[in-house]
Amino acid sequence: MTVSPPEPRPTLEVVAARAGVSRATASRVLRGAANVSPRARDAVLAAAAELSYSVNHAARSLVTRRSDSIAFLVAENEDRMFHDPYFLGVLRGAQGEAARCGVQLVFAIAATAAERRQFVQFVGSGHVDGVLLVSLHGDDSLARDLEGLGVPTVLNGRPFAAETDLFSVDSDNVGGARIATARLIDRGCRAIATITGPLDMSAGRDRLAGFRAALGSAGLDPDGPPLAEGDFTLDGGAAAMEMLLREHPELDAVFVASDLMALGALRTLAEHGRRVPEDVAVIGFDDVREAQLAAPALSTVRQPLDELGRTMTRVLLARTGAVDAGPGPRQRTVLATELVLRQTA
């Protein structure tokens, strides 16, 4: 009995030819990307079904040297990650954009040296094509270490060091803090304090710079106002507000560098019998969902958390070659912020 040799597996080129599209379009359809037309998607899926074509992911990775996966790494502990709505907002945007482009998103937390070493080993083994890196402190070398391994990396927030070739996506922290402080000045407040973010982070420094710039523009001493350094947490904001009230009971306004800290500050003000905004006006930063649910509702600076995640992902995928970069991604992208006025200022 003669056994016929098995028919050769159809290739991606054959599927593309049957569907009447380019190989690149067929590839995007078959990896689930959303940036293709409905007509092209239907044609490719029909051709793949007719030819019994299935994607051999292992073989494709060997040829393209891509895993079609990227990592979202938060350099904080689990408590910070899961209790701060900021991270979840950025992660939601990154996941949505990755899914639209047919790329898997791997989520990781690395707060300790051991966790960082494990993550670098994982990335260095080729499991992901690039890294979205969130919440670095100081002149941390992690991003440079990843780039040194040949792993494209995009930072959330500008690099701490001024001179660097790292890619980053940031909000206009200086401008946002400036307009928030200007609002407090326009209300007639003059004993204005600030609760900063961690000053070993670019966001903390930039928001302090914007606060001081607004004071200087109004003819006030930019270095004179009371300052308490916070840590971007609810309890940190409450403790900072307690210190400010103890040392500067005359203050009539406070710009707080994150909404979570501002919510903590509101709690402390209520405990001390200070009415908001009649006695002390308060403005936060971020516009997380909890800001509008507070009592009184928190005035804040809105930064586009979802778009931060989406833009970071687009920049990273352009760097990895997973999407068409056109003229190439910008090294530094800054997204606009806006003042949202509610009841506290």
Side-chain angles (χ1 to χ4, degrees):
M1 177 172 128
T2 302
V3 178
S4 301
E7 294 185 4
R9 284 172 53 109
T11 65
L12 181 60
E13 288 78 4
V14 172
V15 173
R18 174 72 66 91
V21 300
S22 69
R23 185 186 187 282
T25 297
S27 175
R28 287 198 297 273
V29 171
L30 293 172
R31 70 170 188 257
N35 55 339
V36 292
S37 70
R39 178 180 297 180
R41 180 180 294 104
D42 292 345
V44 171
L45 293 177
E50 292 169 6
L51 295 168
S52 299
Y53 176 84
S54 61
V55 180
N56 186 329
H57 292 281
R60 187 177 70 184
S61 293
L62 288 173
V63 173
T64 64
R65 297 184 182 273
R66 290 208 303 263
S67 66
D68 288 336
S69 298
I70 58 174
F72 185 99
L73 175 66
V74 178
E76 297 282 0
N77 60 41
E78 292 184 7
D79 187 64
R80 277 292 317 280
M81 166 63 205
F82 293 110
H83 285 87
D84 192 333
Y86 173 86
F87 297 118
L88 299 178
V90 178
L91 175 60
R92 186 183 303 113
Q95 169 59 34
E97 187 64 19
R100 190 186 74 83
C101 295
V103 174
Q104 295 296 316
L105 189 72
V106 178
F107 170 69
I109 294 175
T112 68
E115 290 170 341
R116 288 164 60 110
R117 285 194 299 270
Q118 183 178 28
F119 178 80
V120 170
Q121 183 177 18
F122 171 79
V123 169
S125 299
H127 294 294
V128 297
D129 301 324
V131 176
L132 304 171
L133 187 50
V134 182
S135 202
L136 285 186
H137 291 259
D139 192 17
D140 194 310
S141 67
L142 181 56
R144 292 189 295 275
D145 293 343
L146 294 171
E147 291 280 358
L149 292 172
V151 180
T153 301
V154 176
L155 295 177
N156 172 226
R158 71 168 179 83
F160 195 72
E163 299 298 327
T164 180
D165 57 358
L166 296 173
F167 282 73
S168 66
V169 177
D170 200 5
S171 293
D172 183 5
N173 292 302
V174 174
R178 184 187 293 117
I179 59 173
T181 309
R183 165 65 181 180
L184 296 174
I185 295 169
D186 290 344
R187 282 181 56 91
C189 301
R190 289 300 179 267
I192 306 173
T194 183
I195 299 174
T196 75
L199 295 179
D200 65 347
M201 298 183 73
S202 59
R205 288 194 171 191
D206 289 348
R207 292 171 196 176
L208 177 57
F211 170 76
R212 286 174 166 162
L215 294 174
S217 296
L220 303 174
D221 180 4
D223 299 316
L227 177 153
E229 184 174 351
D231 60 1
F232 286 153
T233 69
L234 185 78
D235 290 342
M241 191 72 250
E242 185 78 39
M243 187 198 81
L244 287 172
L245 288 176
R246 182 173 61 252
E247 298 182 2
H248 304 277
E250 76 286 356
L251 67 85
D252 60 7
V254 58
F255 165 62
V256 190
S258 83
D259 284 351
L260 270 190
M261 293 196 300
L263 295 175
L266 290 179
R267 184 179 72 192
T268 297
L269 289 167
E271 290 171 354
H272 283 261
R274 298 293 186 95
R275 299 170 302 160
V276 178
E278 293 85 355
D279 299 328
V280 181
V282 178
I283 298 182
F285 202 111
D286 287 333
D287 195 29
V288 298
R289 181 172 178 270
E290 289 76 3
Q292 59 184 304
L293 300 178
L298 179 65
S299 295
T300 184
V301 177
R302 175 180 295 154
Q303 58 172 331
L305 303 184
D306 185 90
E307 188 56 31
L308 277 170
R310 289 186 177 277
T311 304
M312 288 176 65
T313 304
R314 285 195 292 270
V315 171
L316 182 61
L317 294 182
R319 293 193 66 202
T320 65
V323 299
D324 182 10
R330 286 187 293 174
Q331 190 169 5
R332 187 177 181 205
T333 304
V334 179
L335 304 182
T337 54
E338 63 177 310
L339 183 63
V340 180
L341 294 177
R342 297 193 178 101
Q343 296 173 321
T344 62

